[in-house]
Amino acid sequence: MTAVVQVENISKRFRLYHERHRSVKDRIIHPGGGTYTDLQALDDVSFSIDAGQTVGILGRNGSGKSTLLKCICGVLKPNEGQILVRGTLAGLLELGAGFQPELSGRDNVYLSGSMLGFSRKDVDRLFDSIVEFSELEGFVDTQVKFYSSGMYVRLAFAVAVNVDPDVLVVDEVLAVGDERFQAKCMDRIRQFQLEGRTIMLVSHNADQVRSLCDRAIVLDHGRMIADGPSGDSVRIFREALSADSRSVDAEAPVNVSISIESVTTSTGRFAAHTNEAFGFEVALTSNESFDGFFVMELHTHDGTLVTRTDPTTAPVSLSPGHQRLAVSLPALPLLDGDYELSVGLLSGFGHSVAAWREQVATLEVSYDGRASGLVPLAPRVNLA
Ligand SMILES: Nc1ncnc2c1ncn2[C@@H]1O[C@H](COP(=O)(O)OP(=O)(O)OP(=O)(O)O)[C@@H](O)[C@H]1O
Ligand SMILES: [Mg+2]
């Protein structure tokens, strides 16, 4: 299969000058002597994406996600490496990257179209469907600088999805739309997937990445620390976050380091019947005493979150050293199927992740009845 997007060893540095901290006299006496620091926003990143793939980009704030997308869209030039894109690409970058604030919505649509290689006639043809999708009929002749951020994103998304691109690149911006518009965008992204287009999507929502993307890339301080099936990448992303929250999150207990070594059951199997009790043990080691909360998640194979438990119902006190937590669920209100189990500990302060194990086991639930779906409901019916 041919790669549609090929990223080869790209690095991007931003030079941050400290010129403004120098006095005018100093600048005149030592011209050009301003100090600067280089910030490595991307560090030797390589990957290639085949036609029809949906790839999520995960990473903490400042890890280089937007910089990567801007390089792919040609808005920024990497210092090293090269990028090849086959076919047409439409990008929805950070707010502010894209439209000319002084121009009206209408003029910006034409401008974006011409930057994507469309003639005026082509844009005439697309114009109505763009405005209709954006639902901004009353505002097309208003200058974009007066748009709210939600309106801005609506128009930008409407342009990106109506120009028939082979590759759609979407930075986190969708989060600023209201819920209904977000759902509409998601539907459109799913439709793009069905049409076999290639999609790159930055999101902070790991569940969304898991359910939408076949593959995810994780950036950390500009380096690519994972590139694989989204479940695996989400695990690495969460583990990196939890490692980090120990050192960076000021609210987290400063030196606590907890590792979850294993998750086991007494029978050796993760199997249960619908509505029966189920339990397992979590073996872990903590270097210090720790007061926090236990949390568990179940996902279906297609990445749908079935449940994330309320941490406040499961407080945990650990002493230093090795210990085991017994976790019991009095009843398992799930129908038959396989569920991926993830477990973690949150610190009591700010609920930052102190330890996390993603997809440690697959729980097989069996059911003898005739209900179908995820949860068993047993309606009782009487004549009213
Ligand atoms: N134009 C620029 N000039 C200087 N530094 C920049 C510029 N753009 C980005 N950076 C820096 O590069 C690093 C990566 O930024 P980037 O915007 O790519 O992060 P991000 O992963 O998209 O973060 P977020 O999740 O907050 O959107 C950050 O440290 C940022 O401050
Ligand atoms: Mg960003």
Side-chain angles (χ1 to χ4, degrees):
M1 204 178 271
T2 34
V4 174
V5 177
Q6 222 165 325
V7 171
E8 287 170 8
N9 307 99
I10 66 160
S11 292
K12 177 72 192 171
R13 283 178 295 279
F14 291 110
R15 183 153 285 190
L16 306 174
Y17 287 93
H18 308 303
E19 183 75 16
R20 45 195 177 116
H21 300 300
R22 299 170 70 208
S23 68
V24 175
K25 188 175 152 204
D26 187 27
R27 273 184 260 166
I28 291 168
I29 298 170
H30 307 283
T35 57
Y36 59 81
T37 40
D38 271 342
L39 190 143
Q40 188 87 27
L42 290 173
D43 189 358
D44 198 20
V45 173
S46 302
F47 57 87
S48 74
I49 298 178
D50 290 336
Q53 283 195 321
T54 303
V55 181
I57 317 280
L58 291 164
R60 292 178 304 121
N61 294 132
S63 55
K65 304 180 295 297
S66 298
T67 306
L68 175 64
L69 293 196
K70 283 181 193 161
C71 289
I72 290 171
C73 294
V75 174
L76 282 177
K77 205 174 138 32
N79 298 91
E80 282 131 38
Q82 60 172 353
I83 295 173
L84 231 104
V85 177
R86 294 192 177 85
T88 54
L89 176 145
L92 197 56
L93 296 173
E94 287 176 318
L95 281 181
F99 289 154
Q100 296 294 323
E102 298 296 329
L103 296 180
S104 66
R106 181 188 303 275
D107 291 342
N108 268 301
V109 169
Y110 280 90
L111 183 68
S112 309
S114 80
M115 290 193 332
L116 290 162
F118 286 87
S119 69
R120 204 174 166 86
K121 261 212 182 105
D122 294 330
V123 184
D124 284 342
R125 203 168 32 79
L126 297 173
F127 190 79
D128 288 344
S129 45
I130 291 175
V131 175
E132 191 192 323
F133 189 93
S134 72
E135 300 171 23
L136 291 170
E137 284 85 355
F139 299 92
V140 278
D141 292 307
T142 306
Q143 283 175 300
V144 159
K145 66 178 176 192
F146 297 121
Y147 280 17
S148 69
S149 45
M151 290 162 72
Y152 188 101
V153 167
R154 280 174 181 226
L155 192 63
F157 191 80
V159 171
V161 297
N162 278 289
V163 294
D164 198 28
D166 300 308
V167 186
L168 177 69
V169 169
V170 182
D171 205 336
E172 255 226 305
V173 289
L174 290 182
V176 305
D178 59 43
E179 228 169 70
R180 195 187 54 81
F181 196 77
Q182 272 184 37
K184 184 168 160 180
C185 295
M186 280 316 184
D187 284 348
R188 202 52 181 264
I189 287 177
R190 289 207 178 84
Q191 188 189 328
F192 263 47
Q193 284 183 311
L194 294 176
E195 292 166 1
R197 296 178 204 253
T198 309
I199 302 167
M200 293 186 74
L201 183 84
V202 165
S203 172
H204 279 109
N205 182 340
D207 290 325
Q208 185 182 61
V209 166
R210 203 186 344 210
S211 67
L212 206 63
C213 305
D214 348 290
R215 169 180 165 193
I217 285 170
V218 184
L219 294 179
D220 187 35
H221 295 101
R223 284 187 305 276
M224 191 169 82
I225 59 165
D227 175 10
S230 5
D232 294 345
S233 293
V234 165
R235 174 177 53 74
I236 291 165
F237 171 57
R238 290 228 169 104
E239 283 168 2
L241 275 186
S242 81
D244 227 61
S245 67
R246 290 198 283 272
S247 55
V248 173
D249 187 339
E251 286 186 309
V254 194
N255 293 314
V256 168
S257 162
I258 301 170
S259 64
I260 297 175
E261 284 131 15
S262 67
V263 177
T264 52
T265 63
S266 53
T267 60
R269 294 187 60 214
F270 282 80
H273 286 284
T274 299
N275 283 330
E276 278 182 1
F278 176 70
F280 56 89
E281 281 196 359
V282 179
L284 47 82
T285 301
S286 178
N287 67 335
E288 284 194 357
S289 29
F290 169 82
D291 286 306
F293 300 93
F294 172 81
V295 69
M296 59 175 274
E297 289 180 354
L298 291 174
H299 284 90
T300 59
H301 272 319
D302 66 7
T304 305
L305 177 66
V306 178
T307 183
R308 173 179 299 125
T309 55
D310 176 359
T312 57
T313 62
V316 166
S317 265
L318 301 180
S319 30
H322 180 77
Q323 55 227 288
R324 304 173 78 84
L325 298 175
V327 180
S328 64
L329 299 161
L332 205 61
L334 287 174
L335 289 179
D336 54 334
D338 288 349
Y339 300 89
E340 303 291 345
L341 170 70
S342 305
V343 298
L345 290 171
L346 306 185
S347 77
F349 315 92
H351 282 180
S352 57
V353 180
W356 191 265
R357 286 290 298 270
E358 182 86 7
Q359 295 184 9
V360 277
T362 304
L363 172 62
E364 290 168 38
V365 179
S366 45
Y367 173 65
D368 306 325
R370 301 182 63 176
S372 54
L374 287 180
V375 295
L377 292 183
R380 295 209 180 121
V381 183
N382 292 307
L383 281 178

